[in-house]
Amino acid sequence: MRLILTLVTLLLAKVGFAQMSEIRGSIQNGTQKDISLFRVTDGKAEMIANTQLGVDGSFGFLFTPLNEGFYAVGYAKLEKGALFPFYLKKGDKAEIQIDKRRMQFVGKQSPENTILSSWIKLTQELKVKSIYFMELPLSTYQDFFPELTRIAAETHDFRKTIKTKNENFNRLMTALTYFDMDYYAMHFLRTPRKEFAKKEDYPAYYKSIVVDGKFKNDDVLSTLYGEALLVDYADFAGGKTTNIDERLKFFSTDQQKGVYTLFRMTPFMQSYPQYEGMVKSYGKYFGSESLKKRVDELGAKLYITSAGGKAVDFTFPDQNGKMVSLTDFKGKVVVLDIWATWCNPCKKEIPYLKKLEEEFKGKDVVFVSISTDELKDKGNWLKMVADMKLGGVQLYAGGFVNKVTDFYKIETIPRFIVIDKEGKLVSPNSARPSDPKLKAMLETELTKAK
C-alpha cells in the first residue's frame, strides 16, 4: 500500500510539474542586480515575481501561468519600455538574452515564440527609437519615418506567416502587429526630440491610424502596451479635445473605457470626495474584477490620505546620515516638501520656502524637504544642500519610489503636504510656498493648536 501511495504521489508531482512554465535567460552589459517577471493585466505589466541575477547575469522563473498569453521579464524600476515579452502556455519553456534595451530568443522555442521572435527582430529597432529617445545615436523623424514606412510594408507579408495550430495566439499575434506599429508611430511624436516634424512631413502611415471602431474587442488589453496605446490613440485622434467624455467615444467596450478613465483621472485624485465623484460619473465602466479591485484600492487609500486622515510615518537619513522620522516632530505643524535637484519647478520654490521658514522661525512649525533624487544623483543633492545653505530638515529618500510618494500617489513634483501637531493631514496637496495660501494655512493651524 505504501508503494502504491508513493507512486501516486510521484505521478501527481510529475503532472503538476509538467503544468509549470519556465522562462530563463541572461543579461549582458547591464548594471541591474535583479529582474522581475510580469503578467499582463488591463493592458499593462503587473509584477508577479522578482529574483536576483546570478554573477554571470543569468536568471530563471518557474511558475504556473494563470492563463495563456503574453508575459514579460524586465526591470521593475525602469520605464515600461524596459520589458521583454514572450508568450506562454502551461508547460512552455522559453529562453531569452537581454542586452540593455534589446532582446533575442535563444535556442529552440515554442511555435508561438518562434513567430514572436521574428516580429521582435523586425520591429525592435523601431521600438527603441520610439520609446528610448535618449538612446544613442539620437533618433529624429528623418530616420524614424523611413523606417516606419519600410516596416509597415513588410508587416503585411509578416502577418501571412502567423499560422500556428494555436488559434488564440494567431488572433492575438495578428492584432499585436497592428497595435505595436500604431503605438510606436504615435509614441514617437510624444517624446522629446532635437528635431520635430511638421504634420506635412508625416508619412502616409499616420493617416491609417484613426478609424471608426478601432478597438472592436478587448484583445488590446491582453498586450503589454495596451493601456498606453489607448491613451496615445485618444490623444492622437482627439487632437485638442481634452474632454474625457468626448475621448471615451473612441473606445468600444466598458473595459477599454474603464482602463482609460482610471489612467487619466487617478493622478488627479487628491481627496475622497473627488473619488466619489469619479465613481458616480464613470462607475459603470469599472465592472470587471480587475478594475473593481483597482478602484476599491484607490478609494481605500484616498479615504486615509484625505484631510483628517493619519499621515504616513517614514524614516530617511539627513545629509549627515542621521535617521529622521515624521514621529520625531509630534507637537509641531509639519510642512513636507517633496522635490529633486533636477526639478526646475522645485528649485523655483526654494527662495519662497526660505522666506517662509524665516517668517515662522521660533514657532511650532518644521519644514522637512525630502529629496527623491536617485542614488546616482545623491552627490548633486548633498552639494545643493551645502551650496544653497538649504534650511529646515533635509532628508534623502533614495529615489522617486519610496514610502511617501507611494502613500500619497505622487506623480509630479514639487508636492507640499501639511500635517498637524497630532500627525493628521491638514492638506495632502497644499499650495506651494510661492502661494500666500500656504502661509495662511500654517497660521490657521497654529491658532487651532492654542
Side-chain angles (χ1 to χ4, degrees):
M1 177 64 71
R2 182 177 296 175
L3 177 61
I4 293 175
L5 289 174
T6 300
L7 290 173
V8 170
T9 301
L10 289 173
L11 179 61
L12 290 173
K14 185 176 181 180
V15 171
F17 186 79
Q19 295 296 303
M20 300 186 78
S21 297
E22 178 184 352
I23 172 67
R24 56 191 177 94
S26 63
I27 296 180
Q28 300 177 335
N29 303 315
T31 59
Q32 295 291 316
K33 295 182 179 180
D34 64 340
I35 193 165
S36 300
L37 173 68
F38 301 86
R39 65 185 172 204
V40 178
T41 303
D42 295 332
K44 64 179 180 179
E46 177 186 14
M47 189 173 73
I48 56 177
N50 178 269
T51 187
Q52 296 294 304
L53 295 173
V55 293
D56 59 350
S58 62
F59 64 87
F61 293 97
L62 185 65
F63 70 110
T64 302
L66 289 179
N67 55 274
E68 173 185 331
F70 292 108
Y71 291 79
V73 293
Y75 313 129
K77 293 185 179 180
L78 294 184
E79 60 268 47
K80 58 183 176 292
L83 295 170
F84 308 100
F86 47 90
Y87 190 93
L88 285 184
K89 308 183 303 297
K90 288 183 178 180
D92 276 355
K93 295 181 179 181
E95 183 175 358
I96 65 174
Q97 190 175 80
I98 298 169
D99 187 349
K100 294 183 179 178
R101 304 183 190 276
R102 294 168 174 82
M103 70 166 284
Q104 63 178 348
F105 284 88
V106 179
K108 185 178 180 180
Q109 304 294 329
S110 67
E112 293 88 352
N113 282 327
T114 298
I115 296 293
L116 181 58
S117 175
S118 297
W119 177 245
I120 289 172
K121 288 178 182 178
L122 177 62
T123 61
Q124 186 157 241
E125 294 308 312
L126 193 70
K127 173 184 176 180
V128 169
K129 290 181 178 181
S130 171
I131 296 175
Y132 303 113
F133 56 89
M134 292 301 293
E135 187 84 356
L136 296 175
L138 298 178
S139 177
T140 70
Y141 73 93
Q142 293 175 335
D143 62 87
F144 181 82
F145 285 170
E147 188 163 359
L148 174 69
T149 300
R150 176 182 64 81
I151 294 177
E154 294 181 24
T155 296
H156 178 72
D157 290 332
F158 175 84
R159 294 185 183 113
K160 298 176 182 178
T161 69
I162 306 174
K163 294 180 180 180
T164 71
K165 294 180 180 179
N166 186 338
E167 291 303 323
N168 182 67
F169 169 78
N170 294 345
R171 187 192 77 254
L172 282 177
M173 187 66 223
T174 300
L176 182 69
T177 63
Y178 290 98
F179 298 153
D180 277 358
M181 291 298 292
D182 283 354
Y183 178 55
Y184 300 153
M186 291 186 292
H187 198 74
F188 180 87
L189 301 178
R190 298 173 65 96
T191 50
R193 305 283 166 178
K194 64 180 182 180
E195 293 183 66
F196 290 93
K198 298 177 181 179
K199 282 194 174 182
E200 52 264 34
D201 297 321
Y202 290 6
Y205 185 86
Y206 284 94
K207 295 180 180 180
S208 69
I209 293 177
V210 179
V211 295
D212 291 337
K214 179 78 172 182
F215 306 106
K216 294 181 173 61
N217 56 47
D218 288 327
D219 282 349
V220 63
L221 299 178
S222 296
T223 64
L224 283 171
Y225 305 120
E227 178 191 72
L229 174 60
L230 295 184
V231 173
D232 282 4
Y233 183 77
D235 288 348
F236 186 78
K240 296 181 179 179
T241 302
T242 58
N243 182 289
I244 189 171
D245 294 311
E246 288 296 319
R247 293 193 170 197
L248 286 177
K249 294 177 182 179
F250 296 130
F251 307 123
S252 304
T253 71
D254 284 352
Q255 185 82 352
Q256 294 167 19
K257 294 175 182 179
V259 166
Y260 180 77
T261 299
L262 280 180
F263 181 92
R264 277 301 181 203
M265 300 194 74
T266 296
F268 303 100
M269 291 288 107
Q270 304 296 341
S271 68
Y272 194 74
Q274 284 181 314
Y275 164 81
E276 290 180 307
M278 180 188 73
V279 172
K280 181 179 179 180
S281 298
Y282 304 103
K284 60 185 176 182
Y285 302 137
F286 308 140
S288 72
E289 183 177 342
S290 59
L291 289 181
K292 187 177 185 301
K293 180 182 177 182
R294 288 171 59 186
V295 170
D296 288 347
E297 289 175 347
L298 173 62
K301 199 163 192 177
L302 281 170
Y303 187 78
I304 62 174
T305 57
S306 295
K310 184 175 176 58
V312 66
D313 194 19
F314 56 78
T315 301
F316 298 127
D318 66 10
Q319 66 268 43
N320 299 312
K322 178 185 176 183
M323 302 306 291
V324 179
S325 301
L326 175 63
T327 51
D328 295 338
F329 306 113
K330 188 173 182 179
K332 293 183 180 293
V333 178
V334 179
V335 179
L336 297 184
D337 166 24
I338 317 302
W339 75 297
T341 60
W342 48 261
C343 170
N344 286 327
C346 300
K347 290 186 284 189
K348 287 180 180 179
E349 291 297 321
I350 290 177
Y352 300 100
L353 183 58
K354 284 185 173 182
K355 181 180 178 182
L356 206 57
E357 289 171 351
E358 187 63 30
E359 289 175 336
F360 283 93
K361 189 174 182 179
K363 299 182 180 180
D364 288 332
V365 179
V366 60
F367 295 86
V368 181
S369 295
I370 301 176
S371 165
T372 60
D373 284 287
E374 299 296 331
L375 184 59
K376 65 181 178 64
D377 296 319
K378 184 178 180 181
N380 295 340
W381 169 68
L382 289 169
K383 187 175 186 301
M384 185 174 290
V385 170
D387 291 350
M388 298 188 70
K389 298 180 180 180
L390 300 184
V393 179
Q394 298 293 327
L395 303 181
Y396 176 64
F400 200 87
V401 179
N402 60 70
K403 191 172 184 179
V404 172
T405 55
D406 177 65
F407 186 80
Y408 296 108
K409 302 183 303 304
I410 296 175
E411 300 285 344
T412 59
I413 52 178
R415 175 77 168 267
F416 290 86
I417 299 168
V418 178
I419 301 167
D420 70 13
K421 292 187 175 185
E422 299 301 316
K424 293 182 179 180
L425 287 166
V426 177
S427 174
N429 190 10
S430 74
R432 299 177 180 183
S434 57
D435 187 334
K437 291 180 182 178
L438 177 56
K439 179 180 178 180
M441 179 181 290
L442 297 179
E443 290 173 337
T444 298
E445 283 305 306
L446 289 176
T447 302
K448 286 181 181 178
K450 290 182 179 179

